[in-house]
Amino acid sequence: MNLWRKIGIGIVSMIPAFVLGGLAWNMSHSWLSVIAVIVMVGLFSGSVIAGKFSSSEPSAHHH
């Protein structure tokens, strides 16, 4: 995966972090729950960027 795609995934993953963080705050009024949500989204997006969820077989569209 090239650098620009990794940067794009990192930027796009900020959107669910904001939304889910706001939802966690609205439901619990606890900063700890907001931080927990942000850490979970960060771990998920970090693993996507690291390639943990990529398929082992080459894509048909990859040249």
Side-chain angles (χ1 to χ4, degrees):
M1 186 178 325
N2 67 17
L3 177 64
W4 293 110
R5 184 175 173 108
K6 289 180 182 182
I7 292 171
I9 290 171
I11 291 170
V12 168
S13 67
M14 285 185 219
I15 297 167
F18 282 128
V19 171
L20 293 175
L23 182 65
W25 175 259
N26 190 26
M27 293 174 65
S28 67
H29 295 283
S30 167
W31 283 108
L32 194 59
S33 64
V34 174
I35 291 170
V37 167
I38 291 172
V39 167
M40 286 190 297
V41 171
L43 288 173
F44 179 74
S45 63
S47 60
V48 168
I49 290 171
K52 304 275 188 204
F53 294 110
S54 64
S55 63
S56 60
E57 40 185 87
S59 175
H61 301 289
H62 190 283
H63 297 281

